[in-house]
mmCIF file with all atom_site columns, all heavy atoms in Angstrom:
data_model
loop_
_atom_site.group_PDB
_atom_site.id
_atom_site.type_symbol
_atom_site.label_atom_id
_atom_site.label_alt_id
_atom_site.label_comp_id
_atom_site.label_asym_id
_atom_site.label_entity_id
_atom_site.label_seq_id
_atom_site.pdbx_PDB_ins_code
_atom_site.Cartn_x
_atom_site.Cartn_y
_atom_site.Cartn_z
_atom_site.occupancy
_atom_site.B_iso_or_equiv
_atom_site.pdbx_formal_charge
_atom_site.auth_seq_id
_atom_site.auth_comp_id
_atom_site.auth_asym_id
_atom_site.auth_atom_id
_atom_site.pdbx_PDB_model_num
ATOM 1   N N   . LYS L 1 222 ? 46.655 -23.548 9.875   1.00 0.00 ? 222 LYS L N   1
ATOM 2   C CA  . LYS L 1 222 ? 47.116 -24.112 8.595   1.00 0.00 ? 222 LYS L CA  1
ATOM 3   C C   . LYS L 1 222 ? 46.206 -25.263 8.176   1.00 0.00 ? 222 LYS L C   1
ATOM 4   O O   . LYS L 1 222 ? 45.821 -25.384 7.004   1.00 0.00 ? 222 LYS L O   1
ATOM 5   C CB  . LYS L 1 222 ? 48.551 -24.624 8.737   1.00 0.00 ? 222 LYS L CB  1
ATOM 6   C CG  . LYS L 1 222 ? 49.595 -23.554 8.648   1.00 0.00 ? 222 LYS L CG  1
ATOM 7   C CD  . LYS L 1 222 ? 50.894 -24.130 8.052   1.00 0.00 ? 222 LYS L CD  1
ATOM 8   C CE  . LYS L 1 222 ? 51.946 -23.036 7.882   1.00 0.00 ? 222 LYS L CE  1
ATOM 9   N NZ  . LYS L 1 222 ? 52.586 -22.646 9.156   1.00 0.00 ? 222 LYS L NZ  1
ATOM 10  N N   . ALA L 1 223 ? 45.886 -26.114 9.138   1.00 0.00 ? 223 ALA L N   1
ATOM 11  C CA  . ALA L 1 223 ? 45.048 -27.284 8.821   1.00 0.00 ? 223 ALA L CA  1
ATOM 12  C C   . ALA L 1 223 ? 43.670 -26.847 8.330   1.00 0.00 ? 223 ALA L C   1
ATOM 13  O O   . ALA L 1 223 ? 43.122 -27.431 7.387   1.00 0.00 ? 223 ALA L O   1
ATOM 14  C CB  . ALA L 1 223 ? 44.920 -28.153 10.067  1.00 0.00 ? 223 ALA L CB  1
ATOM 15  N N   . ARG L 1 224 ? 43.149 -25.802 8.940   1.00 0.00 ? 224 ARG L N   1
ATOM 16  C CA  . ARG L 1 224 ? 41.835 -25.321 8.519   1.00 0.00 ? 224 ARG L CA  1
ATOM 17  C C   . ARG L 1 224 ? 41.877 -24.794 7.091   1.00 0.00 ? 224 ARG L C   1
ATOM 18  O O   . ARG L 1 224 ? 40.962 -25.002 6.302   1.00 0.00 ? 224 ARG L O   1
ATOM 19  C CB  . ARG L 1 224 ? 41.346 -24.212 9.445   1.00 0.00 ? 224 ARG L CB  1
ATOM 20  C CG  . ARG L 1 224 ? 40.874 -24.730 10.776  1.00 0.00 ? 224 ARG L CG  1
ATOM 21  C CD  . ARG L 1 224 ? 40.480 -23.571 11.660  1.00 0.00 ? 224 ARG L CD  1
ATOM 22  N NE  . ARG L 1 224 ? 40.437 -23.990 13.056  1.00 0.00 ? 224 ARG L NE  1
ATOM 23  C CZ  . ARG L 1 224 ? 39.360 -23.904 13.827  1.00 0.00 ? 224 ARG L CZ  1
ATOM 24  N NH1 . ARG L 1 224 ? 38.245 -23.434 13.344  1.00 0.00 ? 224 ARG L NH1 1
ATOM 25  N NH2 . ARG L 1 224 ? 39.409 -24.286 15.077  1.00 0.00 ? 224 ARG L NH2 1
ATOM 26  N N   . ARG L 1 225 ? 42.943 -24.092 6.769   1.00 0.00 ? 225 ARG L N   1
ATOM 27  C CA  . ARG L 1 225 ? 43.028 -23.530 5.409   1.00 0.00 ? 225 ARG L CA  1
ATOM 28  C C   . ARG L 1 225 ? 43.155 -24.660 4.402   1.00 0.00 ? 225 ARG L C   1
ATOM 29  O O   . ARG L 1 225 ? 42.640 -24.577 3.285   1.00 0.00 ? 225 ARG L O   1
ATOM 30  C CB  . ARG L 1 225 ? 44.209 -22.572 5.309   1.00 0.00 ? 225 ARG L CB  1
ATOM 31  C CG  . ARG L 1 225 ? 44.025 -21.396 6.226   1.00 0.00 ? 225 ARG L CG  1
ATOM 32  C CD  . ARG L 1 225 ? 44.685 -20.177 5.701   1.00 0.00 ? 225 ARG L CD  1
ATOM 33  N NE  . ARG L 1 225 ? 43.750 -19.370 4.946   1.00 0.00 ? 225 ARG L NE  1
ATOM 34  C CZ  . ARG L 1 225 ? 43.892 -18.054 4.773   1.00 0.00 ? 225 ARG L CZ  1
ATOM 35  N NH1 . ARG L 1 225 ? 44.936 -17.445 5.292   1.00 0.00 ? 225 ARG L NH1 1
ATOM 36  N NH2 . ARG L 1 225 ? 43.026 -17.367 4.076   1.00 0.00 ? 225 ARG L NH2 1
ATOM 37  N N   . LYS L 1 226 ? 43.827 -25.713 4.776   1.00 0.00 ? 226 LYS L N   1
ATOM 38  C CA  . LYS L 1 226 ? 43.957 -26.852 3.890   1.00 0.00 ? 226 LYS L CA  1
ATOM 39  C C   . LYS L 1 226 ? 42.581 -27.464 3.637   1.00 0.00 ? 226 LYS L C   1
ATOM 40  O O   . LYS L 1 226 ? 42.229 -27.807 2.506   1.00 0.00 ? 226 LYS L O   1
ATOM 41  C CB  . LYS L 1 226 ? 44.882 -27.890 4.555   1.00 0.00 ? 226 LYS L CB  1
ATOM 42  C CG  . LYS L 1 226 ? 45.341 -28.975 3.631   1.00 0.00 ? 226 LYS L CG  1
ATOM 43  C CD  . LYS L 1 226 ? 46.416 -29.803 4.292   1.00 0.00 ? 226 LYS L CD  1
ATOM 44  C CE  . LYS L 1 226 ? 46.907 -30.837 3.300   1.00 0.00 ? 226 LYS L CE  1
ATOM 45  N NZ  . LYS L 1 226 ? 48.252 -31.282 3.608   1.00 0.00 ? 226 LYS L NZ  1
ATOM 46  N N   . ARG L 1 227 ? 41.799 -27.597 4.687   1.00 0.00 ? 227 ARG L N   1
ATOM 47  C CA  . ARG L 1 227 ? 40.465 -28.162 4.520   1.00 0.00 ? 227 ARG L CA  1
ATOM 48  C C   . ARG L 1 227 ? 39.592 -27.244 3.668   1.00 0.00 ? 227 ARG L C   1
ATOM 49  O O   . ARG L 1 227 ? 38.820 -27.696 2.828   1.00 0.00 ? 227 ARG L O   1
ATOM 50  C CB  . ARG L 1 227 ? 39.796 -28.364 5.889   1.00 0.00 ? 227 ARG L CB  1
ATOM 51  C CG  . ARG L 1 227 ? 40.514 -29.363 6.761   1.00 0.00 ? 227 ARG L CG  1
ATOM 52  C CD  . ARG L 1 227 ? 39.590 -30.088 7.718   1.00 0.00 ? 227 ARG L CD  1
ATOM 53  N NE  . ARG L 1 227 ? 38.828 -29.216 8.585   1.00 0.00 ? 227 ARG L NE  1
ATOM 54  C CZ  . ARG L 1 227 ? 39.270 -28.739 9.766   1.00 0.00 ? 227 ARG L CZ  1
ATOM 55  N NH1 . ARG L 1 227 ? 40.475 -29.048 10.187  1.00 0.00 ? 227 ARG L NH1 1
ATOM 56  N NH2 . ARG L 1 227 ? 38.498 -27.979 10.505  1.00 0.00 ? 227 ARG L NH2 1
ATOM 57  N N   . ALA L 1 228 ? 39.787 -25.942 3.861   1.00 0.00 ? 228 ALA L N   1
ATOM 58  C CA  . ALA L 1 228 ? 39.025 -24.996 3.041   1.00 0.00 ? 228 ALA L CA  1
ATOM 59  C C   . ALA L 1 228 ? 39.415 -25.140 1.575   1.00 0.00 ? 228 ALA L C   1
ATOM 60  O O   . ALA L 1 228 ? 38.561 -25.097 0.678   1.00 0.00 ? 228 ALA L O   1
ATOM 61  C CB  . ALA L 1 228 ? 39.273 -23.578 3.530   1.00 0.00 ? 228 ALA L CB  1
ATOM 62  N N   . ALA L 1 229 ? 40.727 -25.339 1.310   1.00 0.00 ? 229 ALA L N   1
ATOM 63  C CA  . ALA L 1 229 ? 41.189 -25.499 -0.075  1.00 0.00 ? 229 ALA L CA  1
ATOM 64  C C   . ALA L 1 229 ? 40.527 -26.724 -0.703  1.00 0.00 ? 229 ALA L C   1
ATOM 65  O O   . ALA L 1 229 ? 40.145 -26.709 -1.879  1.00 0.00 ? 229 ALA L O   1
ATOM 66  C CB  . ALA L 1 229 ? 42.708 -25.629 -0.100  1.00 0.00 ? 229 ALA L CB  1
ATOM 67  N N   . THR L 1 230 ? 40.384 -27.782 0.062   1.00 0.00 ? 230 THR L N   1
ATOM 68  C CA  . THR L 1 230 ? 39.730 -28.994 -0.451  1.00 0.00 ? 230 THR L CA  1
ATOM 69  C C   . THR L 1 230 ? 38.285 -28.698 -0.846  1.00 0.00 ? 230 THR L C   1
ATOM 70  O O   . THR L 1 230 ? 37.800 -29.178 -1.881  1.00 0.00 ? 230 THR L O   1
ATOM 71  C CB  . THR L 1 230 ? 39.753 -30.092 0.626   1.00 0.00 ? 230 THR L CB  1
ATOM 72  O OG1 . THR L 1 230 ? 41.070 -30.169 1.147   1.00 0.00 ? 230 THR L OG1 1
ATOM 73  C CG2 . THR L 1 230 ? 39.349 -31.422 0.061   1.00 0.00 ? 230 THR L CG2 1
ATOM 74  N N   . GLU L 1 231 ? 37.610 -27.907 -0.021  1.00 0.00 ? 231 GLU L N   1
ATOM 75  C CA  . GLU L 1 231 ? 36.225 -27.547 -0.337  1.00 0.00 ? 231 GLU L CA  1
ATOM 76  C C   . GLU L 1 231 ? 36.160 -26.754 -1.635  1.00 0.00 ? 231 GLU L C   1
ATOM 77  O O   . GLU L 1 231 ? 35.294 -26.977 -2.483  1.00 0.00 ? 231 GLU L O   1
ATOM 78  C CB  . GLU L 1 231 ? 35.614 -26.715 0.795   1.00 0.00 ? 231 GLU L CB  1
ATOM 79  C CG  . GLU L 1 231 ? 35.341 -27.480 2.070   1.00 0.00 ? 231 GLU L CG  1
ATOM 80  C CD  . GLU L 1 231 ? 34.329 -28.591 1.886   1.00 0.00 ? 231 GLU L CD  1
ATOM 81  O OE1 . GLU L 1 231 ? 33.457 -28.464 1.001   1.00 0.00 ? 231 GLU L OE1 1
ATOM 82  O OE2 . GLU L 1 231 ? 34.429 -29.598 2.613   1.00 0.00 ? 231 GLU L OE2 1
ATOM 83  N N   . ILE L 1 232 ? 37.091 -25.809 -1.777  1.00 0.00 ? 232 ILE L N   1
ATOM 84  C CA  . ILE L 1 232 ? 37.081 -24.981 -2.989  1.00 0.00 ? 232 ILE L CA  1
ATOM 85  C C   . ILE L 1 232 ? 37.392 -25.866 -4.206  1.00 0.00 ? 232 ILE L C   1
ATOM 86  O O   . ILE L 1 232 ? 36.805 -25.708 -5.283  1.00 0.00 ? 232 ILE L O   1
ATOM 87  C CB  . ILE L 1 232 ? 38.093 -23.824 -2.861  1.00 0.00 ? 232 ILE L CB  1
ATOM 88  C CG1 . ILE L 1 232 ? 37.692 -22.921 -1.697  1.00 0.00 ? 232 ILE L CG1 1
ATOM 89  C CG2 . ILE L 1 232 ? 38.149 -23.015 -4.148  1.00 0.00 ? 232 ILE L CG2 1
ATOM 90  C CD1 . ILE L 1 232 ? 38.664 -21.796 -1.397  1.00 0.00 ? 232 ILE L CD1 1
ATOM 91  N N   . ALA L 1 233 ? 38.317 -26.829 -4.013  1.00 0.00 ? 233 ALA L N   1
ATOM 92  C CA  . ALA L 1 233 ? 38.663 -27.727 -5.121  1.00 0.00 ? 233 ALA L CA  1
ATOM 93  C C   . ALA L 1 233 ? 37.433 -28.501 -5.577  1.00 0.00 ? 233 ALA L C   1
ATOM 94  O O   . ALA L 1 233 ? 37.176 -28.622 -6.785  1.00 0.00 ? 233 ALA L O   1
ATOM 95  C CB  . ALA L 1 233 ? 39.763 -28.689 -4.673  1.00 0.00 ? 233 ALA L CB  1
ATOM 96  N N   . SER L 1 234 ? 36.664 -28.999 -4.636  1.00 0.00 ? 234 SER L N   1
ATOM 97  C CA  . SER L 1 234 ? 35.514 -29.794 -5.082  1.00 0.00 ? 234 SER L CA  1
ATOM 98  C C   . SER L 1 234 ? 34.450 -28.902 -5.710  1.00 0.00 ? 234 SER L C   1
ATOM 99  O O   . SER L 1 234 ? 33.743 -29.324 -6.617  1.00 0.00 ? 234 SER L O   1
ATOM 100 C CB  . SER L 1 234 ? 34.966 -30.659 -3.957  1.00 0.00 ? 234 SER L CB  1
ATOM 101 O OG  . SER L 1 234 ? 34.371 -29.859 -3.007  1.00 0.00 ? 234 SER L OG  1
ATOM 102 N N   . LEU L 1 235 ? 34.388 -27.648 -5.273  1.00 0.00 ? 235 LEU L N   1
ATOM 103 C CA  . LEU L 1 235 ? 33.487 -26.717 -5.957  1.00 0.00 ? 235 LEU L CA  1
ATOM 104 C C   . LEU L 1 235 ? 33.901 -26.554 -7.418  1.00 0.00 ? 235 LEU L C   1
ATOM 105 O O   . LEU L 1 235 ? 33.068 -26.648 -8.332  1.00 0.00 ? 235 LEU L O   1
ATOM 106 C CB  . LEU L 1 235 ? 33.514 -25.348 -5.266  1.00 0.00 ? 235 LEU L CB  1
ATOM 107 C CG  . LEU L 1 235 ? 32.936 -24.196 -6.095  1.00 0.00 ? 235 LEU L CG  1
ATOM 108 C CD1 . LEU L 1 235 ? 31.423 -24.291 -6.188  1.00 0.00 ? 235 LEU L CD1 1
ATOM 109 C CD2 . LEU L 1 235 ? 33.337 -22.838 -5.542  1.00 0.00 ? 235 LEU L CD2 1
ATOM 110 N N   . LEU L 1 236 ? 35.194 -26.331 -7.638  1.00 0.00 ? 236 LEU L N   1
ATOM 111 C CA  . LEU L 1 236 ? 35.655 -26.111 -9.015  1.00 0.00 ? 236 LEU L CA  1
ATOM 112 C C   . LEU L 1 236 ? 35.425 -27.361 -9.858  1.00 0.00 ? 236 LEU L C   1
ATOM 113 O O   . LEU L 1 236 ? 34.989 -27.281 -11.011 1.00 0.00 ? 236 LEU L O   1
ATOM 114 C CB  . LEU L 1 236 ? 37.146 -25.756 -9.016  1.00 0.00 ? 236 LEU L CB  1
ATOM 115 C CG  . LEU L 1 236 ? 37.506 -24.347 -8.566  1.00 0.00 ? 236 LEU L CG  1
ATOM 116 C CD1 . LEU L 1 236 ? 38.974 -24.085 -8.834  1.00 0.00 ? 236 LEU L CD1 1
ATOM 117 C CD2 . LEU L 1 236 ? 36.661 -23.294 -9.285  1.00 0.00 ? 236 LEU L CD2 1
ATOM 118 N N   . ALA L 1 237 ? 35.714 -28.522 -9.282  1.00 0.00 ? 237 ALA L N   1
ATOM 119 C CA  . ALA L 1 237 ? 35.542 -29.763 -10.036 1.00 0.00 ? 237 ALA L CA  1
ATOM 120 C C   . ALA L 1 237 ? 34.079 -29.944 -10.447 1.00 0.00 ? 237 ALA L C   1
ATOM 121 O O   . ALA L 1 237 ? 33.783 -30.296 -11.591 1.00 0.00 ? 237 ALA L O   1
ATOM 122 C CB  . ALA L 1 237 ? 36.006 -30.943 -9.192  1.00 0.00 ? 237 ALA L CB  1
ATOM 123 N N   . GLU L 1 238 ? 33.186 -29.654 -9.532  1.00 0.00 ? 238 GLU L N   1
ATOM 124 C CA  . GLU L 1 238 ? 31.768 -29.821 -9.861  1.00 0.00 ? 238 GLU L CA  1
ATOM 125 C C   . GLU L 1 238 ? 31.295 -28.750 -10.823 1.00 0.00 ? 238 GLU L C   1
ATOM 126 O O   . GLU L 1 238 ? 30.526 -29.016 -11.740 1.00 0.00 ? 238 GLU L O   1
ATOM 127 C CB  . GLU L 1 238 ? 30.932 -29.793 -8.577  1.00 0.00 ? 238 GLU L CB  1
ATOM 128 C CG  . GLU L 1 238 ? 30.996 -31.080 -7.806  1.00 0.00 ? 238 GLU L CG  1
ATOM 129 C CD  . GLU L 1 238 ? 30.126 -31.025 -6.566  1.00 0.00 ? 238 GLU L CD  1
ATOM 130 O OE1 . GLU L 1 238 ? 28.899 -30.971 -6.714  1.00 0.00 ? 238 GLU L OE1 1
ATOM 131 O OE2 . GLU L 1 238 ? 30.693 -31.024 -5.460  1.00 0.00 ? 238 GLU L OE2 1
ATOM 132 N N   . ALA L 1 239 ? 31.759 -27.537 -10.601 1.00 0.00 ? 239 ALA L N   1
ATOM 133 C CA  . ALA L 1 239 ? 31.261 -26.431 -11.429 1.00 0.00 ? 239 ALA L CA  1
ATOM 134 C C   . ALA L 1 239 ? 31.715 -26.565 -12.876 1.00 0.00 ? 239 ALA L C   1
ATOM 135 O O   . ALA L 1 239 ? 30.983 -26.217 -13.797 1.00 0.00 ? 239 ALA L O   1
ATOM 136 C CB  . ALA L 1 239 ? 31.725 -25.104 -10.855 1.00 0.00 ? 239 ALA L CB  1
ATOM 137 N N   . THR L 1 240 ? 32.928 -27.073 -13.081 1.00 0.00 ? 240 THR L N   1
ATOM 138 C CA  . THR L 1 240 ? 33.421 -27.147 -14.458 1.00 0.00 ? 240 THR L CA  1
ATOM 139 C C   . THR L 1 240 ? 32.867 -28.369 -15.191 1.00 0.00 ? 240 THR L C   1
ATOM 140 O O   . THR L 1 240 ? 33.130 -28.552 -16.374 1.00 0.00 ? 240 THR L O   1
ATOM 141 C CB  . THR L 1 240 ? 34.966 -27.200 -14.501 1.00 0.00 ? 240 THR L CB  1
ATOM 142 O OG1 . THR L 1 240 ? 35.408 -28.215 -13.593 1.00 0.00 ? 240 THR L OG1 1
ATOM 143 C CG2 . THR L 1 240 ? 35.549 -25.862 -14.115 1.00 0.00 ? 240 THR L CG2 1
ATOM 144 N N   . THR L 1 241 ? 32.128 -29.225 -14.500 1.00 0.00 ? 241 THR L N   1
ATOM 145 C CA  . THR L 1 241 ? 31.462 -30.321 -15.205 1.00 0.00 ? 241 THR L CA  1
ATOM 146 C C   . THR L 1 241 ? 29.940 -30.151 -15.163 1.00 0.00 ? 241 THR L C   1
ATOM 147 O O   . THR L 1 241 ? 29.200 -31.025 -15.592 1.00 0.00 ? 241 THR L O   1
ATOM 148 C CB  . THR L 1 241 ? 31.823 -31.676 -14.548 1.00 0.00 ? 241 THR L CB  1
ATOM 149 O OG1 . THR L 1 241 ? 31.623 -31.554 -13.144 1.00 0.00 ? 241 THR L OG1 1
ATOM 150 C CG2 . THR L 1 241 ? 33.261 -32.053 -14.814 1.00 0.00 ? 241 THR L CG2 1
ATOM 151 N N   . LEU L 1 242 ? 29.545 -29.027 -14.669 1.00 0.00 ? 242 LEU L N   1
ATOM 152 C CA  . LEU L 1 242 ? 28.106 -28.790 -14.520 1.00 0.00 ? 242 LEU L CA  1
ATOM 153 C C   . LEU L 1 242 ? 27.456 -28.470 -15.868 1.00 0.00 ? 242 LEU L C   1
ATOM 154 O O   . LEU L 1 242 ? 27.963 -27.660 -16.634 1.00 0.00 ? 242 LEU L O   1
ATOM 155 C CB  . LEU L 1 242 ? 27.890 -27.615 -13.566 1.00 0.00 ? 242 LEU L CB  1
ATOM 156 C CG  . LEU L 1 242 ? 26.453 -27.134 -13.384 1.00 0.00 ? 242 LEU L CG  1
ATOM 157 C CD1 . LEU L 1 242 ? 25.636 -28.151 -12.619 1.00 0.00 ? 242 LEU L CD1 1
ATOM 158 C CD2 . LEU L 1 242 ? 26.412 -25.791 -12.674 1.00 0.00 ? 242 LEU L CD2 1
ATOM 159 N N   . ALA L 1 243 ? 26.353 -29.159 -16.162 1.00 0.00 ? 243 ALA L N   1
ATOM 160 C CA  . ALA L 1 243 ? 25.584 -28.835 -17.366 1.00 0.00 ? 243 ALA L CA  1
ATOM 161 C C   . ALA L 1 243 ? 24.111 -29.083 -17.056 1.00 0.00 ? 243 ALA L C   1
ATOM 162 O O   . ALA L 1 243 ? 23.776 -29.960 -16.278 1.00 0.00 ? 243 ALA L O   1
ATOM 163 C CB  . ALA L 1 243 ? 26.024 -29.714 -18.526 1.00 0.00 ? 243 ALA L CB  1
ATOM 164 N N   . VAL L 1 244 ? 23.272 -28.261 -17.626 1.00 0.00 ? 244 VAL L N   1
ATOM 165 C CA  . VAL L 1 244 ? 21.832 -28.508 -17.459 1.00 0.00 ? 244 VAL L CA  1
ATOM 166 C C   . VAL L 1 244 ? 21.238 -28.718 -18.844 1.00 0.00 ? 244 VAL L C   1
ATOM 167 O O   . VAL L 1 244 ? 21.672 -28.107 -19.825 1.00 0.00 ? 244 VAL L O   1
ATOM 168 C CB  . VAL L 1 244 ? 21.127 -27.330 -16.754 1.00 0.00 ? 244 VAL L CB  1
ATOM 169 C CG1 . VAL L 1 244 ? 21.544 -27.258 -15.311 1.00 0.00 ? 244 VAL L CG1 1
ATOM 170 C CG2 . VAL L 1 244 ? 21.391 -26.023 -17.458 1.00 0.00 ? 244 VAL L CG2 1
ATOM 171 N N   . GLU L 1 245 ? 20.287 -29.611 -18.967 1.00 0.00 ? 245 GLU L N   1
ATOM 172 C CA  . GLU L 1 245 ? 19.653 -29.806 -20.266 1.00 0.00 ? 245 GLU L CA  1
ATOM 173 C C   . GLU L 1 245 ? 18.149 -29.928 -20.119 1.00 0.00 ? 245 GLU L C   1
ATOM 174 O O   . GLU L 1 245 ? 17.623 -30.151 -19.034 1.00 0.00 ? 245 GLU L O   1
ATOM 175 C CB  . GLU L 1 245 ? 20.212 -31.007 -21.019 1.00 0.00 ? 245 GLU L CB  1
ATOM 176 C CG  . GLU L 1 245 ? 20.859 -32.094 -20.213 1.00 0.00 ? 245 GLU L CG  1
ATOM 177 C CD  . GLU L 1 245 ? 21.263 -33.259 -21.102 1.00 0.00 ? 245 GLU L CD  1
ATOM 178 O OE1 . GLU L 1 245 ? 22.283 -33.112 -21.794 1.00 0.00 ? 245 GLU L OE1 1
ATOM 179 O OE2 . GLU L 1 245 ? 20.562 -34.293 -21.112 1.00 0.00 ? 245 GLU L OE2 1
ATOM 180 N N   . ARG L 1 246 ? 17.483 -29.750 -21.227 1.00 0.00 ? 246 ARG L N   1
ATOM 181 C CA  . ARG L 1 246 ? 16.024 -29.775 -21.204 1.00 0.00 ? 246 ARG L CA  1
ATOM 182 C C   . ARG L 1 246 ? 15.567 -30.359 -22.534 1.00 0.00 ? 246 ARG L C   1
ATOM 183 O O   . ARG L 1 246 ? 16.106 -29.995 -23.590 1.00 0.00 ? 246 ARG L O   1
ATOM 184 C CB  . ARG L 1 246 ? 15.529 -28.343 -21.051 1.00 0.00 ? 246 ARG L CB  1
ATOM 185 C CG  . ARG L 1 246 ? 14.096 -28.238 -20.623 1.00 0.00 ? 246 ARG L CG  1
ATOM 186 C CD  . ARG L 1 246 ? 13.687 -26.785 -20.521 1.00 0.00 ? 246 ARG L CD  1
ATOM 187 N NE  . ARG L 1 246 ? 14.177 -26.095 -19.324 1.00 0.00 ? 246 ARG L NE  1
ATOM 188 C CZ  . ARG L 1 246 ? 14.021 -24.789 -19.117 1.00 0.00 ? 246 ARG L CZ  1
ATOM 189 N NH1 . ARG L 1 246 ? 13.424 -24.032 -20.020 1.00 0.00 ? 246 ARG L NH1 1
ATOM 190 N NH2 . ARG L 1 246 ? 14.471 -24.227 -18.019 1.00 0.00 ? 246 ARG L NH2 1
ATOM 191 N N   . ARG L 1 247 ? 14.593 -31.276 -22.496 1.00 0.00 ? 247 ARG L N   1
ATOM 192 C CA  . ARG L 1 247 ? 14.035 -31.811 -23.738 1.00 0.00 ? 247 ARG L CA  1
ATOM 193 C C   . ARG L 1 247 ? 12.910 -30.907 -24.219 1.00 0.00 ? 247 ARG L C   1
ATOM 194 O O   . ARG L 1 247 ? 12.088 -30.479 -23.404 1.00 0.00 ? 247 ARG L O   1
ATOM 195 C CB  . ARG L 1 247 ? 13.475 -33.206 -23.490 1.00 0.00 ? 247 ARG L CB  1
ATOM 196 C CG  . ARG L 1 247 ? 14.564 -34.227 -23.341 1.00 0.00 ? 247 ARG L CG  1
ATOM 197 C CD  . ARG L 1 247 ? 13.972 -35.574 -23.074 1.00 0.00 ? 247 ARG L CD  1
ATOM 198 N NE  . ARG L 1 247 ? 15.020 -36.573 -22.946 1.00 0.00 ? 247 ARG L NE  1
ATOM 199 C CZ  . ARG L 1 247 ? 14.792 -37.871 -22.901 1.00 0.00 ? 247 ARG L CZ  1
ATOM 200 N NH1 . ARG L 1 247 ? 13.545 -38.318 -22.959 1.00 0.00 ? 247 ARG L NH1 1
ATOM 201 N NH2 . ARG L 1 247 ? 15.775 -38.715 -22.800 1.00 0.00 ? 247 ARG L NH2 1
ATOM 202 N N   . ILE L 1 248 ? 12.900 -30.668 -25.495 1.00 0.00 ? 248 ILE L N   1
ATOM 203 C CA  . ILE L 1 248 ? 11.818 -29.841 -26.023 1.00 0.00 ? 248 ILE L CA  1
ATOM 204 C C   . ILE L 1 248 ? 11.191 -30.557 -27.214 1.00 0.00 ? 248 ILE L C   1
ATOM 205 O O   . ILE L 1 248 ? 11.793 -31.471 -27.791 1.00 0.00 ? 248 ILE L O   1
ATOM 206 C CB  . ILE L 1 248 ? 12.312 -28.436 -26.444 1.00 0.00 ? 248 ILE L CB  1
ATOM 207 C CG1 . ILE L 1 248 ? 13.439 -28.556 -27.481 1.00 0.00 ? 248 ILE L CG1 1
ATOM 208 C CG2 . ILE L 1 248 ? 12.763 -27.648 -25.245 1.00 0.00 ? 248 ILE L CG2 1
ATOM 209 C CD1 . ILE L 1 248 ? 13.843 -27.228 -28.056 1.00 0.00 ? 248 ILE L CD1 1
ATOM 210 N N   . GLY L 1 249 ? 10.000 -30.141 -27.549 1.00 0.00 ? 249 GLY L N   1
ATOM 211 C CA  . GLY L 1 249 ? 9.296  -30.718 -28.697 1.00 0.00 ? 249 GLY L CA  1
ATOM 212 C C   . GLY L 1 249 ? 10.049 -30.408 -29.986 1.00 0.00 ? 249 GLY L C   1
ATOM 213 O O   . GLY L 1 249 ? 10.824 -29.452 -30.055 1.00 0.00 ? 249 GLY L O   1
#
Side-chain angles (χ1 to χ4, degrees):
Chain L
K222 280 210 177 76
R224 285 177 198 238
R225 297 210 94 155
K226 193 170 183 156
R227 296 209 304 274
T230 312
E231 289 298 331
I232 298 176
S234 69
L235 164 73
L236 285 189
E238 283 182 67
T240 50
T241 49
L242 175 70
V244 290
E245 24 176 77
R246 197 181 283 174
R247 286 179 179 190
I248 57 173

